[in-house]
Amino acid sequence: MADCDSDMTAAQPAKSTAVGIVRNVTDQLTCPVCYQLYKNPRYLSCYHSYCEECLVKIQTETTITCPECRKVTKLHERGIKELQNNFFIARLVDELAFNKKVKENSPHCDQCVRDKPVEVFCFDCVLFLCGYCHGHHQYDKLCYNHNIIPLSEIPDDIVLQPKPSTLQCREHENELKYYCETCKELVCLYCTTKKHSTHKHDTINKLISKHRERLNKVFDPVDGMIGDLVKERQRINTMLEESEAQNQKTITLIDDYYENMYKKLQLQRDLLKKKLNDALQQSTKIFQTCLEQINCIQAQFESILELNNSLSDASSQEVLLVENEMITRMNELSEQYNVWRSKPVDPSDVRFVPNEDISFPQFGQVFAVSNCSPYNSEITNFPRYALVGGHIGFIVVVKDCHGYLCYSEGSDQIVVGVKSTRGEKISVPQLTDNHDGTYTGAFVVQQVGKVTASVTIKGHHVKGSPHEITVGKDYTTFSQVNKVVKLGHPWGIAFGKQGTWAFTDCTNSCVYVFSSDHLMRTFSGSGETKLYNPCGIVFDNDNHLYVADCCNHTVKKFDIYGNCLLHFSSDMQHFDNPLGIAIHDDKVYVTSNGCLMVFDTDGQFCHTIGSGILSTTPYDVVVSCNNCLLVADCGHNCVFTFTLDGKYIRKFGAQESEGTSNGQLKGPHGITVDNNSFVLVVDYNHCVSIFDQDGSYRGSFGSYGSGDGQLKYPHGIAVSPDGSVFVSDYSNKRILIFSSK
């Protein structure tokens, strides 16, 4: 407690109304947009500051482009309010206001309680003194040699700093005198004994030296980096001058060549000059773009360096408030600097090649010479998903170091490959030269799983490479269709462990349990646990069955022998006709009237998902391979996608017009996902529609009828471990099993 008491004593606010002096600050306090003193200044991500009102004027919907360095700052939910306040500039503005007040209204003496006018200011003690206290002050042994000046003689370019206000804990209203290194935040004494009691923390006075040293160490290389940028700008300016000189020589060469030609050649000469001028403008634009990039990086370095230098006058709390953000920004700038260093600007020139055959109507060519760059080249049109045996196309766009299409020197350096996850080469893409700097490629994959396609130039990957593609099974063709015929109307289908699978019969209110193709048992519960119109069904990790008991408004849990282990009643959870059910990570997801209800596996209610988005008839739900919830919404004729915590992502399959166009669902009832993330949906189009995880339509199979492979109002669907597709053919009162090739 002794240490705490001493810290608290040391931190008591001084009685002085001023604690320091800053010279010539006015230039630093003018907003570059409104040219007025800053009002509530805020940082952009480049660390240039502007008034909050000015930022409102120049912002777009989600971004702000810095008027000085053109760096784009992305805004979040609260917009400009989430940008960091520039408390350094705000403090200087306060200092100017304080100084003006001092000069207009003489302050009170800091040494006594007499109501006497202040006559002098002691720069060493930072005190305002009346005449009486001035006399005692100058004869004090400790103060006789202090720098004291009459108040009327303080120069206008000197600004007296007001004592900065101390930061206080929002929760306890105590001064923030401690720093928690575990949480990276300022805390008060009471916080250290409660929320942060087990964390690593200490007083600011003890920690500030280490953190200042850490901050300074990060900024040590900045001067060298700025020096490199200055040298590179000079080098590019020299290359620009040489390029212009070379262009002048080329013009002279062209003029000399055509001086011996007749007037009929003048049109050709003017055309060549125009092409040369276009090439010069392109070359100049390239160098100017490089210079703008250098200026942008340098401006950002200088901005953050200036801010870091200003920290020498900042309070400890202020340093700690911006330390992590500044270090993060410094790391981003260093990475940007390193990327710039890795892409040196190549000199380019313009050449004239005469054609000695004067009978040919074209007498020469003007063209730019440059090398292709893997860093600017890119691969486009690569899909994320494809089906076995399907055509996978892509385009390679080759560019030079300046970002322009580069045709003549890139084709023989492009290497394209397709490999499996084990690194085996599984396909040889065909590449077609389009003779314009682009190349069209295509390949076919004959195996299910993930493959990696890559495109390299000079041994380096281009943008978009390597690219992973998920290849799914082609469900549109089958070797055979088997049938499981039972009375009643089958609805939900589910697969468990060790070859077990089950389906619900809503008409007979029972569950059928199979082992492979052998019927093990049928059960319907008894007493309070008796089933009444069961619909959705799912196995958990213990091979127990959860059944959505629609007309009883409950969910029941059974073992595979038909013993009821648990049921959630509508009286407790307010179910309304539960239809679909899924389990993931000890959570049970149940479709109900207008929402998706979430429970733990013991039947305790957690929360709802999709209220206000889903219709009154969401029929089925499944958890995808990338941990998203897919809901087959019969009322909206589409599939909705949510995160596991309920955030809406997208919808797909919605009908845009009457009819049954490919990929447009009609009353979807059942939904499942295979091992390669492809989504299979059954609906009242009497077929199975296939989508990838992005919602793109990939095909369908099945048609209306009662024959082999035909469906009539299918309700449920599931994919077995061996890849067969099980569909509950509701109106035909059977289960169809589609075995793929």
Side-chain angles (χ1 to χ4, degrees), residues 69 269 287 310 312 516 544 553 572 665:
C69 70
R269 181 186 62 182
F287 290 121
S310 68
S312 59
S516 296
H544 294 147
H553 308 289
M572 293 187 294
L665 299 173

Side-chain angles (χ1 to χ4, degrees), residues 594-630:
C595 70
L596 188 65
M597 304 187 75
V598 185
F599 301 81
D600 62 24
T601 50
D602 293 327
Q604 297 298 314
F605 175 74
C606 299
H607 57 89
T608 62
I609 292 174
S611 296
I613 298 177
L614 299 173
S615 73
T616 57
T617 53
Y619 266 53
D620 201 6
V621 59
V622 68
V623 180
S624 66
C625 299
N626 60 349
N627 292 335
C628 289
L629 291 165
L630 303 176

Side-chain angles (χ1 to χ4, degrees), residues 181-225:
E181 297 200 85
T182 304
C183 301
K184 306 296 183 186
E185 64 178 77
L186 296 168
V187 295
C188 70
L189 177 60
Y190 191 77
C191 289
T192 63
T193 64
K194 298 296 181 182
K195 180 180 178 182
H196 302 268
S197 61
T198 60
H199 296 180
K200 183 180 179 182
H201 54 73
D202 208 335
T203 62
I204 292 175
N205 293 336
K206 292 181 180 179
L207 295 175
I208 189 61
S209 297
K210 179 180 73 173
H211 286 274
R212 285 186 186 273
E213 181 180 350
R214 176 188 173 195
L215 198 57
N216 290 334
K217 186 176 180 180
V218 172
F219 281 87
D220 282 344
V222 173
D223 288 334
M225 292 177 178

Side-chain angles (χ1 to χ4, degrees), residues 506-521:
C506 61
T507 303
N508 292 320
S509 295
C510 64
V511 174
Y512 291 83
V513 181
F514 288 78
S515 177
S516 296
D517 58 353
H518 173 67
L519 176 63
M520 294 173 58
R521 64 187 50 82

Side-chain angles (χ1 to χ4, degrees), residues 119 327 357 439 523:
E119 296 183 1
I327 290 175
D357 184 5
Y439 302 82
F523 62 84

Side-chain angles (χ1 to χ4, degrees), residues 276-292:
L276 176 64
N277 185 59
D278 292 341
L280 173 60
Q281 291 180 358
Q282 178 175 314
S283 177
T284 302
K285 182 179 178 181
I286 290 171
F287 290 121
Q288 288 176 343
T289 301
C290 295
L291 290 174
E292 289 177 0

